[in-house]
Every structure is written in structure tokens, then in C-alpha cells.
Amino acid sequence: MASAALGTQVAAAALEPVGSDGFLKGSSRKSNNCLNFRSKPWVGKSLAWEKTQQSRHLNKVFCMSVQQASKSKVAVKPVELENANEPPLNLYKPKEPYTATIVSVERLVGPKAPGETCHIVIDHGGNVPYWEGQSYGVIPPGENPKKPGSPNTVRLYSIASTRYGDSFDGKTASLCVRRAVYYDPETGKEDPSKKGICSNFLCDSKPGDKVQITGPSGKIMLLPEDDPNATHIMIATGTGVAPYRGYLRRMFMEDVPTYKFGGLAWLFLGVANSDSLLYDEEFTTYLQQYPDNFRYDKALSREQKNKNGGKMYVQDKIEEYSDEIFKLLDGGAHIYFCGLKGMMPGIQDTLKRVAEQRGESWDQKLSQLKKNKQWHVEVY
């Protein structure tokens, strides 16, 4: 399993969520001032696009947010976003999507990264609220090639920001998108006719462009907040890091009145090489500022070797820390998996082997983790 391209088809970050029946107990917050997302009585008019927005976001939000975190936590608004008892779901559907505006598109990876991954900030004007761990649907412009006369189908993307967005005002959402391209296995050349329609549309977008979005959707990856001192083990390959960026900003960057994290967040990120690391500066800042509450382990398949001399994949890092991980799971830790679906067989095999070495039945352990709502998987 490689965390970069699998075969000749480079995967985009379009999600195919694994089920929707895993609603996490305790993930909603209690409040006497309950917002009703479905009726949308509180939603104001969408902000008109202004050129000043572009410079504000580009120059301040994306770059300065890490610097802000190193000084003190950032105030967020509107705090009323904390009041809802249930997550917003499917406020906008494919037949009636919301027209949002592209704020910025930033290349996230370095020159030696295989492929291109972009951080895309979208202005929804506060009209399409979401919770950390949810997804937006994006409808790229143009006709569906398989259904002439019909619009393109919806592609799902994990949201890579907290509910307050990168501008901390509840009016934007961020996506982490890998540009999907296809290389002919015989010639080794790129075939533009088979490129990913939506990922290329998003990565090619310019500030001010309009984008049709649906959602938000998803419950499986919601961050359980009933215990602010819980342990969260987050495992990602590539753009699968998106929901974890939202979790970590909520835990360590934002001053959220109703959520004061005091537990342990442990991130395992698998990518091809150092140039492929996503949001590394943010995560490194948390490591420096909160060494007792955050751990960060990277598996760089083209730069590191596992104990057997082979390429270092994320499951090798899991095996390296397996005793600690199993003890944390026995103590109630939540474990999350997000990324290419090809990551799961290797991880499952590793966990099963470790369990057997410990004299445990992995099947029974997995069943118990699922029963306890500790096991969260969303792969694509």
C-alpha cells in the first residue's frame, strides 16, 4: 500500500463514506439555546464577493494562523455555532446546491512531491454550517459525460477546517484536494481525457470563481466531545489528513468556550516524502506548544525504511507503537482512519498480527471497539 499513487490512477480526495450508522454518542453538545439547522432561521444573506476578501485571506488567514497559534489561542465567532444539539445534515442537496465562492487556492506540497495537492478556501457566507469531521459535496461545472444533458455528479470532500473556518468567523470552509491525473501504463504519459473532473476544477479555480456545494454530510468522523480529556488516535494517508486538521485546530488553535481539550491527540500521517507533507507547519507548532497533549508521527514511504528494510508505510508506524496503541484502546481511546481505501488491508493485517502476538482475538477486539463507538473509518 502506497500513500501516494496506487497504480497508474492517482486518487482524488473524493470520499465514499463507509456507512452512516456510526453516529457517535456524546458528540453533540447540550445547550438550552438549541439551533435548528434544518429550518435555517438564523442563516443570513450570503456576503457579496469583495476583492478585499482575497487579500485578507491570502495574506492573513492561511499564513498567519500558525503564528497566531504560537502566541495564544484565537477567538472564534459566532459562538452560537456551539449551541446545536445535532450536527447539520444535508442542508443543500444536489438538485438545489448552494452557490459558494472560491476565496483562495494554495499549493500545499513541495516541488519533489509526486502530484499536486491544494488547500482551497470556500466562502459560504455562514449559510452552510458544518461540524468537524463532516464533508461537503462539490458539483463541478459541465455535463455528466455518462449522462449528456445532466449535470456532473457530486464528489464528496472531507472538510479540512473547523466550523469557524480558516478566518475564524464561521463563513468559510477549507478543502484539501489532490489533483487526479491519469498516466497511461504503456506510454507513461498523462492522458488529459481521463483526469479527475472535480479535483482539476477545484485546483484550477481562481479567487471569485463560483462553486456549487451540497451537504454537509457524515456522522462517522464527528469528533466526540463528551470527554475533553479523551485520547484520539488519528491515522491518515495523504489528503485523509483533512478532518484531523479540523480536530487539531479546534483542540489547539481556537479558543472554543465550550471545549477545552486536555487529552491526547496522536497523529500518524503517511505520505511519499517530506515534500508531500500536508499542514506540517501547523502540526509541528502544536507539538512545540502542547508536547503533553499532541504526538505526531510521519511515515515517508520514499525516504524511510521499516524494520525489515522495506518502505515505511503508516501501518509500519502503527506496529512500531502497537503496545502503546493497544493499551490506549483498552483505556477507551478513539481511533480514526481516513485516506485511500487501499490503506486499510495493510493496517488491519498489522493490527491482527499484533493482537495475536498479545494473545488476543483481533475479531473480538474490533467488534468491541465498534460496539463502544471507538472505531471510525472513512476511506475513498
Side-chain angles (χ1 to χ4, degrees):
M1 185 281 296
S3 61
L6 293 182
T8 55
Q9 176 69 56
V10 180
L15 298 178
E16 296 173 5
V18 183
S20 58
D21 56 348
F23 181 63
L24 307 180
K25 294 179 180 178
S27 62
S28 56
R29 281 149 292 282
K30 303 300 180 185
S31 170
N32 293 325
N33 303 315
C34 178
L35 288 179
N36 183 343
F37 283 116
R38 292 191 176 278
S39 62
K40 294 180 276 190
W42 60 283
V43 172
K45 294 182 179 179
S46 177
L47 290 179
W49 173 258
E50 297 178 0
K51 289 184 179 179
T52 53
Q53 267 191 320
Q54 179 184 347
S55 59
R56 174 170 61 88
H57 282 274
L58 285 175
N59 297 330
K60 179 182 178 183
V61 176
F62 190 69
C63 299
M64 291 299 293
S65 56
V66 174
Q67 296 174 22
Q68 287 174 310
S70 67
K71 297 175 183 177
S72 62
K73 289 199 172 185
V74 183
V76 293
K77 62 179 183 180
V79 292
E80 288 77 19
L81 289 176
E82 301 296 322
N83 291 350
N85 288 331
E86 296 292 334
L89 287 170
N90 303 313
L91 302 181
Y92 291 89
K93 300 181 179 180
K95 290 186 177 180
E96 295 182 347
Y98 180 80
T99 301
T101 305
I102 298 291
V103 174
S104 62
V105 178
E106 296 284 334
R107 180 184 169 97
L108 283 174
V109 295
K112 295 181 181 178
E116 181 181 24
T117 302
C118 296
H119 181 79
I120 298 161
V121 179
I122 297 172
D123 178 8
H124 60 80
N127 296 319
V128 195
Y130 56 88
W131 282 6
E132 298 72 25
Q134 289 191 300
S135 301
Y136 269 174
V138 177
I139 305 175
E143 287 189 353
N144 186 334
K146 296 181 180 179
K147 296 180 180 179
S150 300
N152 276 307
T153 54
V154 175
R155 272 72 162 182
L156 291 177
Y157 292 89
S158 286
I159 298 172
S161 51
T162 72
R163 67 194 68 188
Y164 299 101
D166 285 7
S167 52
F168 310 109
D169 61 3
K171 293 175 181 175
T172 69
S174 300
L175 305 180
C176 180
V177 180
R178 176 163 178 157
R179 187 190 294 273
V181 294
Y182 178 84
Y183 291 93
D184 187 288
E186 295 182 1
T187 65
K189 294 182 178 180
E190 183 179 338
D191 184 349
S193 67
K194 296 182 180 180
K195 68 180 182 180
I197 295 173
C198 197
S199 65
N200 279 272
F201 159 68
L202 288 170
C203 290
D204 289 336
S205 293
K206 301 291 186 291
D209 287 354
K210 300 302 179 183
V211 56
Q212 303 288 317
I213 61 175
T214 66
S217 62
K219 290 183 177 180
I220 283 188
M221 296 294 284
L222 290 175
L223 180 65
E225 297 188 0
D226 54 320
D227 179 8
N229 298 315
T231 294
H232 304 273
I233 304 168
M234 302 162 283
I235 298 162
T237 57
T239 57
V241 77
Y244 308 145
R245 179 180 184 257
Y247 296 174
L248 295 171
R249 287 172 76 91
R250 185 167 175 83
M251 292 172 177
F252 301 125
M253 182 179 285
E254 297 179 343
D255 184 13
V256 181
T258 58
Y259 185 58
K260 305 297 182 183
F261 183 67
L264 172 66
W266 191 353
L267 174 63
F268 291 86
L269 175 58
V271 294
N273 56 26
S274 298
D275 268 20
S276 302
L277 287 169
L278 305 172
Y279 309 112
D280 186 57
E281 186 182 351
E282 285 189 24
F283 302 150
T284 301
T285 297
Y286 304 147
L287 198 59
Q288 295 167 349
Q289 295 293 313
Y290 301 94
D292 296 332
N293 303 98
F294 183 54
R295 295 176 66 173
Y296 179 31
D297 284 278
K298 295 168 273 193
L300 309 178
S301 62
R302 300 188 186 183
E303 293 179 4
Q304 299 172 329
K305 300 292 184 182
N306 62 25
K307 65 179 183 180
N308 298 318
K311 291 184 176 181
M312 176 70 80
Y313 294 122
V314 73
Q315 64 261 33
D316 298 311
K317 279 293 180 183
I318 292 172
E319 185 172 14
E320 186 179 329
Y321 294 100
S322 57
D323 284 343
E324 208 170 344
I325 290 172
F326 270 64
K327 288 176 183 176
L328 290 170
L329 290 174
D330 290 342
H334 291 271
I335 190 165
Y336 311 80
F337 304 88
C338 190
L340 297 173
K341 57 187 174 184
M343 71 188 274
M344 290 308 296
I347 289 173
Q348 291 268 35
D349 291 345
T350 297
L351 292 171
K352 183 175 182 180
R353 183 172 65 254
V354 171
E356 289 173 351
Q357 292 171 353
R358 293 168 58 89
E360 300 181 54
S361 165
W362 173 245
D363 290 339
Q364 289 181 6
K365 193 173 193 69
L366 178 59
S367 177
Q368 191 63 42
L369 290 172
K370 290 179 177 178
K371 182 179 179 181
N372 295 343
K373 307 296 184 185
Q374 293 173 251
W375 182 264
H376 317 276
V377 179
E378 190 164 73
V379 292
Y380 40 88

